[in-house]
Each structure stands twice: as C-alpha cells, then as structure tokens.
Amino acid sequence: MTSADNLRAFKREGRIVIVGASLAGLRAAETLRDEGFTGSLTMIGDETCEPYDRPPLSKQVLTGWVPADGTALPRRREIDAEWLLGVPAAGLDLAANHVRLADGREIPFDRVLISTGVRARPWFVESEAALDGVFVLRTREHAEGLQRALAAGPSRVLVIGAGFTGSEIASICRERGIEVTVAELAPAPLVGALGAMIGEVASDMQRSHGVDLRCGVKVTRLEGDAQGHFRRAHFDDGTTVDADVAVVALGGIRNTEWLRGSGLAAGVWGIACDTGCRALTLDGLITDDVFVAGDVARCPNPVYEYRLISLEHWANAVEQAEVAAHNMVSPQADRWPHLTLPVFWSIQFGVNIKSVGVPTFADEVVLAQGSVADHRFVAAYGYRGRVTAAVSFDNAKWLDHYRGLIETAAPFPPPGPTPDQPLDMKPVPVDFPGPQLLAQGATVVVTGHDPGERRVTAAQQHHR
Amino acid sequence: MTTTETDTLRRILDYSSRADPYPLYAELRETPVARQRDGSYVVSTYREIAGLLHDPHISSDVRNLARPMPSHAGESTPAFINLDPPEHDRLRRMAMRHFGPPHTPGLVTGMEDDLTAVVTTLIDGLEDKERIDVVDDFAYPFPVAVICHLLGVPREDEPRFHLWVDALINSIDYNPETDPKEKLENGLRARKDLREYLGGLLQRRHGKPGEDLLSRMANDDGPDGRMTDEQIVATANLLLIAGHETTVNLITNGMLTLLRHPDVLRRLREDPDLVVPLVEELLRYEPPVHIIPWRAAYSDITVAGTLIPKGAQVMLMLASGSRDPVRFHEPQRFDPDRRDNQHLGFGSGIHLCFGGPLARRETQIALTELVRRLDRPQLVTDPPPYRRSPILRGPIHLEVTQGG
Ligand SMILES: Cc1cc2nc3c(=O)[nH]c(=O)nc-3n(C[C@H](O)[C@H](O)[C@H](O)COP(=O)(O)OP(=O)(O)OC[C@H]3O[C@@H](n4cnc5c(N)ncnc54)[C@H](O)[C@@H]3O)c2cc1C
C-alpha cells in the first residue's frame, strides 16, 4: 500500500485520541470531523463536565453576571466522540501506542493529540493553601467558589500576584465595591508580560480605582483563625494585611508530569513541537503520530528566531488546535505551519488591553500613538531595531497595522508621524524583571559517543 | 502610471457605468494602487484597502489634504467621521454612549418591535397593489422613519430633510472640472439649512432629558464630559445622512439581488434564519457604500510598492476590495452560505460603521418580510435606473409587479 492509501484508510477508520478535553481539544475534534476524519475519536479529560471557556471565569462569572455553568463552549458541529471524563491520563506509551488512564485502562490510538493545558500554581505551603477563603482560579469550581466568597461581602480581598488574572480579579473586586489589596513581587503589575512602561500605567490604573497596591513585596505566610478560615497575610517587610479572602494568582504549571518516561520533550516549559504541532522527542526528533496544542505546547516561531514559545492565550489554543488537527489527517505536502502571531486580550478597570506579537521579545518600547495619561494608547516593542510586538490600551483597532509591521520585520521605532502621535515619542529600555525565571526549568543530559547511540535523557530537577 | 488606469476611474465615476461597475473594478485591481493624473491614489484590492483602513498614517480629516475639498469648505465643526484621533475617538465615544453597548446595550434589540411594526404597516399598504416601487413605497420611508424616531425629529419634517439630504449627497462627489457650480452651491446650502434646523431642535431639548438621541446628547454627561451644541449638531447631521441613504440602498440592492436569484429568494421565504448570512453576503456583493473617496496620507507611506506622498488624496474602493478574487473564493457569485465573509461593507478600523448593527437589523427585517408577504414579485426593468452617486450606490427606483 502506498502512503496515500494508508492515509485514506486512516482518515476513514483510524483511531485518534485527544488528551485534555477543553478549548484546544474540542476545537481540534471539530476540525478533524470538518476535514473528513470518520474514524473513532476519543476525548480524555480529567474534569467531569463538558468543555467550557475560561476567560469569562475571571470576568463575567466573578461579577455574578454569568453563572459558572453558563460558560460551556459553543459546539460548532457534532463530533461524535467517545468521552472518557473524570479520569486523568497517567501515561503515554509510544512503543505500544496507547494512553494509560489513572484507573489502569489502556486506550489505543493511531494518532494522539495532547492538549492538557496548565493548572493553577497553588500556594506553596499546603496547610495554608487549604485554609477556608484561600482560592486559585483556573476551573469552573474555582470561579464558583470565589464568586460566592465575593458575594458574601468580604471586608477585604488579598490578591497575590498582579499578572493578568490577578489584576482582573482586583478590578472585579473594585467593581463590586470590595476593598482589595494586591501584593506583587515585581515593581509593578503586568511587568513580567509587558515591561516597566506599561507596568507604570497599570499601577496608576489600579491605584486610581482604589486598589491598595503593594509592589516589591513577598507574601510569606497566610494565617488562619481557630475555625481554619484565612484572616491575615504576612509580608516579608514585616507588615501584615487583614482580609477574609486570598486569591493566589501566581501563574500556571503545565500539565506534563503524566508524560514523564514517555520519551517526549515535555517539561516545565511545556511539550516542544514543530510549527506543524508535531511533538519532539527528548532527542529533538519529530514524532509523526503525536501532536500538541494549546497552553501545554511549546512551539517554535520563525519571527522570533525560531525560539520555542509557550503561550497561555485563548486564540493560540484555537489556532494550534486547528493546525494540529489538519496536519493529523493530511499528507506531508499539505501540512500547515502554525505561524500566526500571538494575540492576547484582557479587560480590567474598564480598559480593554490587547497585544499582538511577543512583548517579552524586546529590548525597547515606544509610545507610538495616543496618551499614557488617558490610558488610551498603542505602545510598540522593538528588538534590535525591528518591531516585534505592540500593546494597546483602549485602542485595539490599530493593532492590525502593527501586526503587519511585525510580520514584515519593519524598522523600530515605527516611522511616523500619525495624527495622534505623542510628543514624547522616544524609545526607552523595555525593562523586564530579572532573569531568575529563565534559570529554572528542565535540564537534560546527553549520553553516548557515536551518532547512532547518542541520546538525550531528562535530568531530575535540581530544585524542588 | 498609464492613462488606462485614470480612464478606468473616470469610467467608474461616469453615470453610464452605474448599473454594473464590477468589470471596471476588476480592471482597476490589476494595479492595486494607481496614481491618477490629479495626484490622487486609487486603491482597489482587499489586502491594501484593509491595510490602509488600519493604518494610523492615513488621515480622515480632509483638512490634511494637499488640495482642500470644495464640498467641505467652511466646515468649522466636522463630524467624527471626518476627524482623526484623539478628537475622533472622544466624540465617537460620547455619541456611542447613547447608541449601543456597553452603556445603552438594548438600543437596537429594543427597537425590534418598532422596526417590525413600521415594516408591517408599509407592506400592508402594498398588498393589493399590482405594481410597486420598492424604493418609494418601502425602502425609503422605512429607515427614514427609524432614524427620525431615534434622533427625535418630528415625522412631519421628514419631507424637508429628504430634499436637503438629496442635495447634500449629490454634492459629495463634486468635481469642479465637470460639474456645474450650482450642484456644489445647492449642497452647501442644504448643509447649512440642515444644521440650522437641527440646531433649532436641539435648543428645545436642553434641560428636557428624554429618550431620543438629541435630548440624551444634550443632557447627559459621561466620563468624557458633554458635547458642545455644534458637536451635537454635527453628530446628528452625520447620523441622519448615514442612517438614511445607506440603508435605503442596502435594502433596495438586497431586493434587487434576490429578484435576480430566485432560488435564494425561495430559500429565504422557507427559512427566515437565512437572512443573517444573506445580509452579510449582500454587504460584500452589493454594498451601499462603494468608495471612501477622501482619505489623506498624513505622512509618506508605501503600499504594495507604490509610494503615496504626504497630503495625497487616497480613494479606497471598498466594493472592489470585497470582490477581490485574491481574498474571496468566486467573488462574483452571490453566495449566502459563504464562510469567512470579512467584507468591507461597513469599512473597518476606527471608522467601522457606527450604525452597522442597526442597519443590519433593519435590512434583515425588511427583506424577510418583503419576501414573505409579496406575492411572486417580478422585476420590471433590469437593470433599474440608478442614483447619480458612484459613492453611495443604489437604484433610484425598483419597480416590481406581483400577483401575476
Ligand atoms: C481565569 C482565566 C482567564 C483567562 N483570560 C484570558 C483572556 O482574557 N485572554 C486570553 O487570550 N486567554 C485567557 N485565558 C487563557 C485561556 O483560557 C487558555 O489559553 C485556554 O484555556 C487554553 O486552552 P487549552 O485547551 O490549551 O488548555 P486548558 O483550557 O487548560 O485545558 C486543558 C484540559 O486538560 C485537562 N487535563 C490536564 N491534565 C490532564 C490529564 N493528565 N488527563 C486528562 N485531562 C487533563 C485539564 O483539566 C483541562 O480540562 C484565561 C485563563 C484563565 C484560567
């Protein structure tokens, strides 16, 4: 049989398993059926409910506007799949081609898509994390619990971490008239994602909306009362804050532990793949039957010097899912590369924030349009003299233009003038917080001498 | 640049091409950015038009044109459509407060019953007639009633401003080389009269908060403060013209297209939900706004390899872009099942049509009801006679027989 025949047969009666039944998983399944895959499709998910959407959790759900169970993802078509919900996948055997579930079942596949996403990083002291009133926010249940706690009218909420999720939660608290303290290790909110200039705007926004913002501090201890309810947080500068609710918004942990020993290049940064969303092995070889998509994927981007980039963005999950699904059922010559520039949006303190490109891939930033004081502007990011990203505050309609500049490697700073060009249009250093984040992560060791026997194995992490 | 391109634009502007400018658009697209003899630039391909609609180096303020436009002479307070950020953003925001989400979320949906009622009354009057003019009997009176109601203009004044709007639209594309001076003067006078009339209405709204847009704009403060009287008049003026001529043409073009595609007409009668994608396809295939004629290059810009110098007039051929085969599969086919239909019917970018949601709903209701209630309608003349304007394009009459 030729490989074209093989592919036809696979499309007709092959077995595809999707691990991680959320946004990326569902969109991939829909695309597989759209592309004419009629074989068997199995969706494995550790959550018990049908796939739902996460961005509304920190927005509409926390305001009480939409109930947590009102966030189901729209079904764009029938996918006719077998759903194995409520049990996590616990292993992947690439020699036998099956996924092992935590309850011991083995699910065979011809091709598998991994879209297990990330989970919330919990508070680092387990007993403190277990206090009543201490929350994280990643799932429907989290959102429901937190919304109930907010509705109860807490005297104060403490948000730990001022990234996007933490800032959105703080914004909602103010909208609901709840006192809120935000504690952030960096010098300003959003600095890790968008740099110092935008961080300053974000600080200003939070303070002008009455947030008690404390930057450059570390929360060291969460203290509960006799009933086991959270009451007070201690900071490393010796100060304390009294509150009834604490939200731990310290980012996510990629769900890759279950792949340990599978031979895939999976670790704390995600699962490495090529632009066709095919997973790489630890050695850096491409597998042809294992695909990845969404928050758990770590994909090279030619625009950013082919660096492997993992993103926790909604649109990225959808686009990778579509590319991965297409490639799973297409011949080599018809495969698509995932080359879309990342876009991200957030709504906080009444401002619509949107970005295109990778703002952390930058050494300078310039205010290109509008005014920082009004919280309405576009900032362009540059790396060694070319435009690499742009961020808008209440100005999203211009971003397509900046996308074009990034895609065509236009010179930085972008040429002017525009009618709303700011007077102080001078690039400044982008100034991200230190590289300590980069130092942690998976390390590997290379073994063997001859090309035929050289292999890479994962090293156990040095730190806990 | 060759003279063929110049000729192509001339032929498009020429009235004899009004019924079918599309073959000429195809000719234009061979040169995506074409310099004209008068120093202006015509842009006709989808990608380039979309790019310019999002390009901050393109100005909507006609005062930035190297050569000022006669039809905009003496305008001290332009409406936001003719302004750039940040003034544009501020005025549009202040007007939008009263016109839609997030501050007035229910405006369009809240009007559904009224829209249906007006449509029903109009069609009730047509039912026994063997011969009707879709424009005069239906497509014109409907949106006019809606926008007057919305703004708070008394019904009895409608005929007067029909005349003003006609004169005004007529003068938009005034060309000093070919047009009689009278055309321009009529337009300028109509502009002035309409402003005075609206100013008078506005005076009576101060201190009397009500439901209509004029009283809301006159009495309500948002985070951006309050518009001046001149700004309110300019905004009302804009909404009246834009909410009027364009929807008339969209409905008429829609009915004409359906009569030319009886299979689609039949489908719509059986499945009213089809109207949603159908109106989108209409906005691509037979849009009411064909050209944005007066954008200005704010700085030198290079588009598709052609340098457009600062101050040059840029004409965006929206209707041509929406039929660009590079962007749309089989663009000359009217296909209500089309996917990924990102047409330029409402423009794009910061000037994306303010009234789009209302125009959509009006047209959806109008077409569904016409198709449901007219009895086997037949087109009398094809093509029908067209209005003069190549910019806001549509039939001036659309005669239809029924019951035959
Ligand atoms: C509160 C919140 C707000 C957000 N707001 C925005 C926003 O405004 N804009 C934006 O662009 N993005 C936003 N995001 C990010 C966006 O939701 C994610 O990018 C998107 O959900 C990624 O989809 P995914 O399918 O890759 O991963 P996920 O949605 O994380 O889905 C992964 C699924 O796999 C399951 N799973 C994990 N391990 C296993 C296993 N071993 N076996 C079986 N199943 C497993 C998980 O339980 C989960 O159901 C937000 C996220 C959150 C949490």
Side-chain angles (χ1 to χ4, degrees):
Chain A
M1 245 189 348
T2 67
S3 70
D5 288 335
N6 274 338
L7 185 70
R8 259 194 299 275
F10 167 70
K11 245 178 121 165
R12 209 169 42 238
E13 53 210 27
R15 295 165 304 180
I16 291 183
V17 168
I18 295 178
V19 188
S22 181
L23 177 63
L26 179 65
R27 285 299 175 86
E30 289 173 337
T31 307
L32 283 171
R33 292 303 190 204
D34 268 344
E35 299 241 348
F37 174 72
T38 54
S40 87
L41 187 56
T42 307
M43 308 284 291
I44 299 173
D46 61 358
E47 296 187 79
T48 47
C49 53
E50 64 173 320
Y52 58 89
D53 208 15
R54 294 179 207 274
L57 298 182
S58 58
K59 305 173 181 77
Q60 290 90 329
V61 173
L62 289 192
T63 54
W65 185 35
V66 171
D69 60 9
T71 55
L73 279 166
R75 297 295 179 91
R76 309 205 301 179
R77 57 163 298 137
E78 262 323 309
I79 57 168
D80 183 25
E82 183 185 0
W83 293 80
L84 304 177
L85 295 181
V87 191
L92 178 68
D93 187 333
L94 289 180
N97 267 18
H98 66 238
V99 174
R100 189 163 36 77
L101 300 188
D103 62 11
R105 273 181 289 169
E106 288 173 353
I107 315 298
F109 62 80
D110 298 314
R111 285 199 169 146
V112 62
L113 174 74
I114 302 171
S115 53
T116 45
V118 310
R119 63 182 182 276
R121 184 178 298 281
W123 184 243
F124 67 101
V125 183
E126 220 172 297
S127 58
E128 296 175 13
L131 290 171
D132 242 3
V134 175
F135 293 89
V136 291
L137 182 55
R138 180 79 198 174
T139 68
R140 237 182 207 183
E141 288 73 45
H142 297 150
E144 204 171 335
L146 181 53
Q147 129 70 14
R148 229 179 297 120
L150 296 184
S155 62
R156 175 172 294 275
V157 171
L158 169 68
V159 177
I160 307 172
F164 282 103
T165 307
S167 299
E168 285 181 13
I169 293 166
S171 163
I172 296 241
C173 288
R174 294 310 299 140
E175 209 179 300
R176 297 185 72 154
I178 300 168
E179 296 299 328
V180 58
T181 297
V182 171
E184 168 61 53
L185 187 55
L190 309 186
V191 164
L194 301 179
M197 183 173 103
I198 305 292
E200 226 169 277
V201 183
S203 297
D204 187 44
M205 251 161 59
Q206 299 212 356
R207 295 217 162 94
S208 66
H209 281 83
V211 173
D212 168 33
L213 176 64
R214 309 204 186 171
C215 293
V217 294
K218 202 169 184 171
V219 178
T220 51
R221 188 159 72 86
L222 304 181
E223 181 187 331
D225 60 17
Q227 284 72 45
H229 198 290
F230 166 71
R231 291 297 169 210
R232 172 173 296 171
H234 296 261
F235 293 179
D236 64 349
D237 60 1
T239 58
T240 59
V241 162
D242 289 351
D244 325 317
V245 171
V247 189
V248 179
L250 294 172
I253 300 175
R254 298 199 153 71
N255 293 316
T256 55
E257 295 85 347
W258 68 283
L259 293 166
R260 210 168 278 156
S262 66
L264 292 184
V268 292
W269 288 339
I271 307 164
C273 61
D274 71 350
T275 60
C277 297
R278 292 179 296 183
L280 302 192
T281 67
L282 271 175
D283 304 318
L285 291 169
I286 282 172
T287 61
D288 209 27
D289 295 329
V290 184
F291 291 74
V292 285
D295 286 5
V296 79
R298 203 181 151 213
C299 193
N301 193 320
V303 173
Y304 301 104
E305 300 175 348
Y306 292 92
R307 283 188 209 186
L308 296 174
I309 298 174
S310 33
L311 297 162
E312 292 173 39
H313 297 176
W314 193 94
N316 177 65
V318 168
E319 281 151 8
Q320 283 181 343
E322 287 171 0
V323 168
H326 169 86
N327 290 346
M328 285 177 102
V329 294
S330 299
Q332 187 71 38
D334 282 349
R335 293 218 168 134
W336 295 342
H338 170 63
L339 295 178
T340 324
L341 288 179
V343 292
F344 178 85
W345 84 98
S346 170
I347 296 169
Q348 42 189 279
F349 304 101
V351 173
N352 177 5
I353 303 175
K354 203 167 169 188
S355 76
V356 59
V358 179
T360 48
F361 193 94
D363 48 27
E364 285 186 305
V365 59
V366 69
L367 194 63
Q369 285 181 258
S371 134
V372 167
D374 293 349
H375 303 159
R376 291 177 208 286
F377 59 86
V378 181
Y381 291 71
Y383 180 69
R384 299 193 178 169
R386 71 178 164 102
V387 180
T388 51
V391 170
S392 67
F393 275 46
D394 271 349
N395 244 313
K397 284 186 174 144
W398 293 118
L399 283 190
D400 269 359
H401 174 70
Y402 292 87
R403 175 201 303 277
L405 296 184
I406 300 164
E407 284 174 347
T408 54
F412 177 90
T418 63
D420 61 344
Q421 182 182 346
L423 294 172
D424 51 350
M425 189 174 165
K426 232 184 93 207
V428 296
V430 68
D431 210 359
F432 289 107
Q436 72 270 26
L437 261 177
L438 298 176
Q440 62 166 271
T443 45
V444 294
V445 288
V446 182
T447 62
H449 294 285
D450 297 336
E453 65 178 27
R454 272 176 89 77
R455 285 287 177 269
V456 158
T457 50
Q460 277 310 316
Q461 296 224 294
H462 302 302
H463 52 90
R464 214 192 50 79
Chain B
M1 283 309 121
T2 62
T3 44
T4 5
E5 285 139 18
T6 308
D7 283 351
T8 311
L9 179 66
R10 273 193 189 216
R11 273 151 69 212
I12 289 170
L13 301 182
D14 189 292
Y15 183 66
S16 62
S17 317
R18 202 68 73 245
D20 186 12
Y22 296 103
L24 293 170
Y25 292 159
E27 254 177 57
L28 266 191
R29 283 192 299 267
E30 286 165 23
T31 313
V33 181
R35 185 175 187 276
Q36 305 300 307
R37 240 182 262 146
D38 66 358
S40 65
Y41 289 76
V42 169
V43 185
S44 52
T45 42
Y46 184 92
R47 191 182 292 264
E48 281 64 34
I49 294 170
L52 289 176
L53 288 170
H54 290 267
D55 192 331
H57 305 99
I58 286 285
S59 170
S60 297
D61 190 333
V62 291
R63 295 170 296 190
N64 287 324
L65 286 172
R67 278 174 298 149
M69 286 172 50
S71 60
H72 283 67
E75 205 128 296
S76 53
T77 312
F80 56 79
I81 196 174
N82 293 323
L83 285 173
D84 291 325
E87 295 93 332
H88 160 273
D89 297 0
R90 191 171 154 268
L91 286 169
R92 181 169 160 131
R93 256 192 329 263
M94 283 196 283
M96 197 52 127
R97 267 182 80 73
H98 310 292
F99 195 76
H103 303 287
T104 321
L107 182 99
V108 173
T109 39
M111 283 176 70
E112 303 238 323
D113 290 347
D114 290 341
L115 299 182
T116 309
V118 178
V119 164
T120 305
T121 314
L122 286 170
I123 300 183
D124 283 345
L126 302 179
E127 255 186 335
D128 308 327
K129 284 170 102 180
E130 252 169 50
R131 198 184 175 100
I132 55 181
D133 179 354
V134 173
V135 179
D136 286 350
D137 297 340
F138 184 82
Y140 176 72
F142 172 42
V144 173
V146 174
I147 196 73
C148 285
H149 168 77
L150 202 64
L151 269 172
V153 173
R155 286 295 284 269
E156 62 270 21
D157 291 340
E158 280 175 24
R160 268 208 282 170
F161 84 66
H162 185 28
L163 296 176
W164 290 328
V165 171
D166 269 356
L168 221 150
I169 302 243
N170 212 1
S171 73
I172 281 181
D173 48 339
Y174 175 73
N175 180 345
E177 282 166 37
T178 52
D179 288 332
K181 215 163 170 280
E182 221 186 305
K183 178 169 155 178
L184 177 66
E185 282 163 0
N186 282 342
L188 291 175
R189 196 173 328 111
R191 228 170 242 280
K192 193 165 149 284
D193 289 348
L194 183 52
R195 272 167 199 270
E196 273 173 23
Y197 168 79
L198 287 169
L201 278 186
L202 180 62
Q203 282 317 312
R204 281 173 267 142
R205 296 297 200 284
H206 280 299
K208 295 200 196 90
E211 280 305 293
D212 61 89
L213 281 181
L214 269 182
S215 11
R216 286 191 202 206
M217 288 193 280
N219 295 296
D220 182 65
D221 288 321
D224 290 298
R226 191 178 292 188
M227 286 192 247
T228 64
D229 278 9
E230 289 76 42
Q231 287 166 341
I232 298 177
V233 167
T235 303
N237 189 32
L238 167 67
L239 298 188
L240 268 181
I241 300 168
H244 165 204
E245 200 69 13
T246 50
T247 317
V248 179
N249 287 340
L250 185 57
I251 294 173
T252 314
N253 291 342
M255 204 51 209
L256 174 61
T257 304
L258 285 172
L259 291 166
R260 285 173 174 170
H261 296 83
D263 49 323
V264 181
L265 191 147
R266 216 172 306 122
R267 268 184 72 193
L268 176 60
R269 189 182 298 138
E270 280 151 23
D271 173 17
D273 288 346
L274 181 67
V275 81
V276 175
L278 185 145
V279 169
E280 283 328 287
E281 175 67 345
L282 208 52
L283 283 158
R284 183 194 72 82
Y285 181 82
E286 282 282 17
V289 180
H290 272 229
I291 308 173
I292 297 180
W294 45 67
R295 293 279 161 95
Y298 194 80
S299 17
D300 288 358
I301 45 172
T302 302
V303 182
T306 303
L307 178 93
I308 303 181
K310 175 178 170 169
Q313 179 186 351
V314 181
M315 301 180 76
L316 303 176
M317 311 299 284
L318 298 183
S320 166
S322 288
R323 289 219 192 179
D324 184 345
V326 176
R327 174 62 182 77
F328 296 98
H329 180 66
E330 291 189 52
Q332 311 297 344
R333 201 158 68 83
F334 178 66
D335 175 11
D337 303 313
R338 187 177 291 280
R339 284 184 161 202
D340 186 27
N341 189 2
Q342 295 230 26
H343 56 73
L344 299 170
F346 285 134
S348 187
I350 62 164
H351 292 285
L352 177 76
C353 179
F354 180 95
L358 178 61
R360 275 197 176 98
R361 204 60 201 112
E362 286 180 87
T363 310
Q364 288 166 2
I365 293 176
L367 292 181
T368 319
E369 288 302 297
L370 277 177
V371 161
R372 188 171 73 87
R373 295 196 43 200
L374 293 187
D375 178 19
R376 285 162 293 150
Q378 299 281 331
L379 202 50
V380 174
T381 30
D382 192 3
Y386 271 81
R387 292 168 195 278
R388 302 270 350 149
S389 174
I391 294 168
L392 304 178
R393 175 179 166 273
I396 194 160
H397 295 293
L398 187 69
E399 295 217 276
V400 166
T401 56
Q402 60 167 343

